[in-house]
Amino acid sequence: MLSTETLVTFISISTFLCFLPGPDNLLVLSQSAINGCKSGILITLGLCIGLVMHTSLVSLGIAAIIQANTVVFEIIRLFGVFYLSYLAWGAFKAKPIHIKNNSFNDTKKLIKKGLFMNLSNPKVIIFFLAFLPQFTTDNTIAIPVSLQLLYLGLIFVVIAFIVFTIISYLSGFLNKTISSKPSVQTILNKITCLIFIALAISLCIDQRLPIV
């Protein structure tokens, strides 16, 4: 097994990274404030499913192939830019809602939203590819490096889910207040729009820089 010191260091850094303001947790925060904590948790679930898939790709070595193959990387990147722009437009057009009309019949839609947002960003794969191997060791004979990567990746997913769930609950307390103030909802929707635009621009410009 990995040493206790390595695990403590990894968990500490991962928790810090998850709490840092970024597109994912800011989206969870704004959507929880507008639609309630359950909405944020469902989006978080989708994001974490995407992280599990990225972790699997890294542990199998496929991420290195994607990173090295310019054509594949560009296809994923351009799809990500298109999808994030689509989400930005949807957030820009979103109308204020009243709490009594706020239902969760679109549970699958919210999960898919988080999933596709995560999968459409190839930089997540590159981040995992650059981050996870720093905590592996070739001296652990009983555990191959690929399994160490999978193990660390799953720990990161659990941490992300816990952190984002906390964010969902904290911002969800504002839901009843915000739902009765259309102007505040409009501002949060515009902030959500800017988050998507910022991530899309990041994908366009810094094509090889990993982000969280």
Side-chain angles (χ1 to χ4, degrees), residues 20-86:
L20 282 178
D24 289 351
N25 51 24
L26 288 178
L27 173 65
V28 170
L29 187 152
S30 63
Q31 292 302 293
S32 297
I34 296 174
N35 301 315
C37 65
K38 185 174 180 180
S39 175
I41 293 175
L42 290 173
I43 292 177
T44 294
L45 181 59
L47 289 169
C48 288
I49 292 174
L51 289 177
V52 170
M53 296 176 70
H54 281 130
T55 297
S56 300
L57 291 175
V58 170
S59 63
L60 292 173
I62 297 177
I65 298 176
I66 294 176
Q67 183 183 17
N69 192 314
T70 304
V71 175
V72 174
F73 182 89
E74 287 300 311
I75 291 175
I76 298 176
R77 185 178 68 85
L78 291 176
F79 172 77
V81 172
F82 174 79
Y83 181 70
L84 290 168
S85 299
Y86 167 77

Side-chain angles (χ1 to χ4, degrees), residues 30-31 33-35 87-98 174-175 177-195:
S30 63
Q31 292 302 293
I34 296 174
N35 301 315
L87 292 179
W89 178 245
F92 180 78
K93 295 193 305 177
K95 303 296 182 182
I97 60 175
H98 193 277
L174 301 174
N175 176 244
T177 301
I178 292 176
S179 64
S180 61
K181 297 182 179 180
S183 60
V184 178
Q185 289 190 46
T186 299
I187 292 174
L188 288 176
N189 282 327
K190 296 302 183 289
I191 291 176
T192 301
C193 174
L194 291 176
I195 292 172

Side-chain angles (χ1 to χ4, degrees), residues 59 133 136-140 143-152:
S59 63
T136 62
T137 173
D138 294 329
N139 295 325
T140 308
I143 305 179
V145 173
S146 59
L147 291 182
Q148 292 181 53
L149 291 172
L150 181 61
Y151 178 59
L152 290 169

Side-chain angles (χ1 to χ4, degrees), residues 167-212:
I167 294 174
S168 296
Y169 272 106
L170 292 178
S171 57
F173 285 120
L174 301 174
N175 176 244
K176 289 185 179 181
T177 301
I178 292 176
S179 64
S180 61
K181 297 182 179 180
S183 60
V184 178
Q185 289 190 46
T186 299
I187 292 174
L188 288 176
N189 282 327
K190 296 302 183 289
I191 291 176
T192 301
C193 174
L194 291 176
I195 292 172
F196 288 133
I197 291 176
L199 185 53
I201 292 176
S202 179
L203 281 177
C204 285
I205 299 177
D206 303 320
Q207 299 180 17
R208 292 284 176 169
L209 295 179
I211 63 173
V212 180

